[in-house]
Amino acid sequence: MHKLNIGIVGATGYTGVELLRLLARHPNANVVAVTSRGEAGVHIADYFPNLRGVYDLVFQNPENAQLEQCDVVFFATPHGVAMRDAPALLAAGVKVIDLSADFRIKDIPTWEKWYGLPFTAADALAEAVYGLCELNREQIRNARLVANAGCYPTCVSLPLIPLLKNQALLPDMPIIADCKSGVSGAGRKAAVNTLFCEASDNFKAYGVAGHRHLPEIRQTINELQTGIADKLIFVPHLTPMIRGMLATTYVHLRDGVNPHDLLTEFYADSPFVDIMPIGSSPETRSVRGANICRIAVQRAPEFDGNVWILLSVQDNLVKGAAGQAVQNMNVMFELAETTGLDDVAVLP
Amino acid sequence: MHKLNIGIVGATGYTGVELLRLLARHPNANVVAVTSRGEAGVHIADYFPNLRGVYDLVFQNPENAQLEQCDVVFFATPHGVAMRDAPALLAAGVKVIDLSADFRIKDIPTWEKWYGLPFTAADALAEAVYGLCELNREQIRNARLVANAGCYPTCVSLPLIPLLKNQALLPDMPIIADCKSGVSGAGRKAAVNTLFCEASDNFKAYGVAGHRHLPEIRQTINELQTGIADKLIFVPHLTPMIRGMLATTYVHLRDGVNPHDLLTEFYADSPFVDIMPIGSSPETRSVRGANICRIAVQRAPEFDGNVWILLSVQDNLVKGAAGQAVQNMNVMFELAETTGLDDVAVLP
Amino acid sequence: MHKLNIGIVGATGYTGVELLRLLARHPNANVVAVTSRGEAGVHIADYFPNLRGVYDLVFQNPENAQLEQCDVVFFATPHGVAMRDAPALLAAGVKVIDLSADFRIKDIPTWEKWYGLPFTAADALAEAVYGLCELNREQIRNARLVANAGCYPTCVSLPLIPLLKNQALLPDMPIIADCKSGVSGAGRKAAVNTLFCEASDNFKAYGVAGHRHLPEIRQTINELQTGIADKLIFVPHLTPMIRGMLATTYVHLRDGVNPHDLLTEFYADSPFVDIMPIGSSPETRSVRGANICRIAVQRAPEFDGNVWILLSVQDNLVKGAAGQAVQNMNVMFELAETTGLDDVAVLP
Amino acid sequence: MHKLNIGIVGATGYTGVELLRLLARHPNANVVAVTSRGEAGVHIADYFPNLRGVYDLVFQNPENAQLEQCDVVFFATPHGVAMRDAPALLAAGVKVIDLSADFRIKDIPTWEKWYGLPFTAADALAEAVYGLCELNREQIRNARLVANAGCYPTCVSLPLIPLLKNQALLPDMPIIADCKSGVSGAGRKAAVNTLFCEASDNFKAYGVAGHRHLPEIRQTINELQTGIADKLIFVPHLTPMIRGMLATTYVHLRDGVNPHDLLTEFYADSPFVDIMPIGSSPETRSVRGANICRIAVQRAPEFDGNVWILLSVQDNLVKGAAGQAVQNMNVMFELAETTGLDDVAVLP
């Protein structure tokens, strides 16, 4: 069976270890290089104890990793790195899947405003495809550079896309996405505010004044139904659990529109989106460790107007990051979209 | 110092043990009877290990507890019990504080619809005062029967009250209260869905199709600004923490209205409501174990319209239940409102 | 590829859903029947939300499930059920793997003392093989009835077995196994003491006066080194996590014995036991969801005597229950021992 | 009522905020200065959100804090700071309570070996009293410098002290203290290994090769029963909870010794040690937030020999740190030992 030679840049974070977990059992995956400046020389099994006996790889400095000989390189890095290093890999004929935000926003001034860096890879950006298979499957099939969709944007956009494509939202009414994420979304860096004793048994909103995923979601909305993107209000919350994300999205729909029908039809051929029966309430644990987004819709009770509550859950590290990246890889290399992504969610 | 003789009916749940914790250090409190049919004869210290050495009381059957000799009786019971037993106590000159929902809803058909029982205490209901001191302090001062406000209604209503009193909400726009509660809100009954292995590391919405606290919040809204109560959408979520509740409430305000000014002015003399600086983000742990509701407001970023996000947190067992009940008792008996309620929140 | 027709009796608990998760991806597994009297008629995906889209099975009453047509039946039931129902299946030529304790104890009076039931399946017991592959691989290969080892006995016995086989323990000194388990070990029944609000943010010992796994561990010890089984002291503790078990076992060894050498040699060909470098400290998360027991040993520091601390971790639902059962099935049916058990532990 | 002017050096950690929580309601406490170089100028309510409205204090640089005008200064600092700064305060007539380890070990070479610093305060050490009231109440009454006992040493020593004072332990047998601590014991510093995603849903041993509390416990043992301190084996474990510590200590006692009698008699007049009935199993939540150590003893079941299991629980931040410090302060200043320490444990 054809094996893809794979490199992972910046594999010391949670998206990195999750990529390694998923690729370990992918029949077409052959991880040949994992890079980290800080941990160069360290065996990944000494760094991630779940990988003992699974891989025999040592973190390398990127310049020694011969990434240009890979078929595909994943960037699991802070923003700015892929922007700097991806173009050379593309020039060497390597396909790139960027899990960071560098290539997600098509409007450069918007990106620079929200990420606080000058953007330096306009040519790469021009060919980058937004990595949400359910929206862009065909473009991803032919892409050399995929900008893996963000965790919140994936969870919020999937229930909205079929409604937007049908111009089903009332233009003058707000779209309110009240989102809740597990702590792993904050990454693996030493910080006080994500210590166990700070984040456990606690709940709070954050980034209310403006979160970088707001323009990313608005870009997707604007592509599908014009004049409504600015009506999005997005408030993320930090939840005391490791993995999992739930979006509660409140939408005002045109009279007669039933979102369950639109979602069911639109996702009929998408293996990783589960449209649940009307009245269901998805739980984050039902997708823990699995590359699935489960969606349920309920009409606002005792409310005069066609207002619906869209409930969507995913594992922020899988469908919201590493699993989605593998899904994109499968599509880019003409493998079955589900290859290596058949894990059943871990419950309890 | 004058001591109040206190009885607690149904003291085997979480609101019961929290009442006992708070009253143990209340200088005017003398708990003389705790009742439970199921646990009659059991020493409360054998039942609640945190009370070892604090009380020397045994659970009694209600009929043996001589509750009619108390100054005040708290009901920490399922709905239906206070409705049945409170009238006789009132007739005996005992003041009653009901932590259940029996006397919260003034419209009997509405109560019967949501609680599924025939309502049998219309006379008591007629004199019952809704037990939210910040709204009804004067009526509570003279009340014989107080219906302690519910946990969600307290957390959602406190940030809304000053806005409603000023008719500040746009009448045609929704009020969306997206609420998150710790698991203790579900009580202490044996049930699968609140087992550690079901509720831990998991997040979900529940009661989306209709929660009993919806009519309670709408009743409060309707008293203050007419024609808008039906615009409330209320979605509760279950959060993997023991205590704590956060409400994220999205409101559309008349042009020029600044909710921070209205909240600061209205709560100037309320010791248990903390209006934080604009741009703050309250955390549930900042009130863990304390009788405080902390509120912050932020204007929706990059949104065309005067939409505000109201963030309010409380400990659902304290300001949302037992602490509020003690606060009501203090007002009913002309004690300083803060008596026995000066615990500092436990952090971490 | 040859498929085994599989039945699961009592599939509504945590070991049941874990069996279903693991078998879903086992290339030789074809689950044809899941039984539950209480849930008969309910689709398993409505009962276990992680199984939506994975299985199309409905719980059946056992008598309708035609279990006698299966190749193998797993019992994931309370004790007493397999003792009653397994003999008829054996007579029908079905192989049985019992995850309950019915066939673990060879001495019937001992079993009856600890489990409080009359034992009624002496013939089946006579042929039952204790289902710990690392100890009894050959007997399991030819067994018709396997008594899957208990969770604590697996975690405690694996580090001891190589020492006992070498008569390495001092006969007059205690063997102290201080064990810590996640809450899922208590099962999925509605009970107050395993509610989230009782078990979370809490730690306690339980069963100190005598736990049913004590005689099971002692039986294994006694088979390997005589005269020392009674020296075992076993204290289990309840830990606020869903999955995972750690045993800290303190042993006094003959002079000159190095347990690391004995363990490394003994488990050289056991794919699911990981002997870590001396001085390591295994974490339960390093095996979450995976069929692995990781073991590290450290000599007691600044102590006069050859006392060693044996640290062993496993996922109590996988290597401690369902994964071990699948491992036993693989050996019983001459499949590669690792078939379908290659999941990488989920971290974070 | 006489008020003590109090300073807290290094108040940005968990012991610091816990001291502030407890002293806020202490009738004789007047906190006049809190110091932190890193946070100088920051209001403590902006740093610790639970203290909003409780204190109006700003962190100061120590040199500006006029600590020499305090009646008592608490050091809640890393080791090395109190050793450097306490002598000058003592010379100025200020009493000092050190929550760090600087003055706990009387043998200077031992301290230097375990803490890796040259010890520079021999004179202060000579007068320092080990701050465990249950052991040294009289010496503390007259002390100017108290070395607050460590968390593990408090939890392990309290059940052992009455046995050691009675020479009840067999000299040739091990004393095994298997200890479990909540994560707050690791402090509030930014670090990867105590992140929520690393420490949650995980359990592990640490410091097996040698923990700094080993010599501290051995010093206490050696003072009470000679020739047995070296028999102590101490293994700490990290538990996924914020607060709480449980020690499971295995001891071999002389024939006929019943530890329950010895403990009950010895602690008859100690208000913060709760000896539970034989056969009890203390839970950490029963002391959450309270200055109590609860102890139960059980004889090892089915074991030939007088081996007992001592179970002790405390809140590591209260009886294991800040509460014990306030208890020491009360004794040093001839206040009732229980002053300001009457909080009831928070359950659930």
Side-chain angles (χ1 to χ4, degrees), chain B residues 70 103 174 195 218 265 273 295 339 345:
Chain B
C70 293
F103 297 104
L195 290 177
R218 284 183 168 178
E265 179 183 3
V273 178
I295 302 173
T339 309

Side-chain angles (χ1 to χ4, degrees), chain D residues 205-248:
Chain D
Y206 67 99
V208 180
H211 186 288
R212 287 165 167 173
H213 286 173
L214 177 67
E216 184 178 337
I217 303 168
R218 284 183 167 176
Q219 174 178 274
T220 299
I221 292 173
N222 200 47
E223 290 171 5
L224 301 173
Q225 182 176 351
T226 55
I228 195 163
D230 293 347
K231 291 299 182 181
L232 176 69
I233 296 171
F234 166 57
V235 177
H237 300 75
L238 191 65
T239 304
M241 59 187 180
I242 295 175
R243 295 164 173 248
M245 175 174 286
L246 183 142
T248 311

Side-chain angles (χ1 to χ4, degrees), chain B residues 9-10 12 75-83 98-102 111 115 117:
Chain B
V9 178
T12 58
F75 282 83
T77 46
H79 61 275
V81 177
M83 176 173 67
D98 178 22
L99 283 78
S100 84
D102 286 5
W111 189 91
Y115 289 90
L117 289 177

Side-chain angles (χ1 to χ4, degrees), chain B residues 275-296:
Chain B
I275 307 303
M276 302 173 75
I278 281 197
S280 301
S281 187
E283 308 179 57
T284 60
R285 65 181 184 144
S286 73
V287 296
R288 186 189 297 129
N291 193 57
I292 303 170
C293 178
R294 301 196 196 270
I295 302 173

Side-chain angles (χ1 to χ4, degrees), chain C residues 102-121:
Chain C
D102 286 6
F103 298 105
R104 293 179 191 163
I105 303 288
K106 287 297 184 183
D107 182 65
I108 290 177
T110 299
W111 190 90
E112 292 178 331
K113 169 188 168 189
W114 285 91
Y115 289 91
L117 288 178
F119 190 83
T120 61

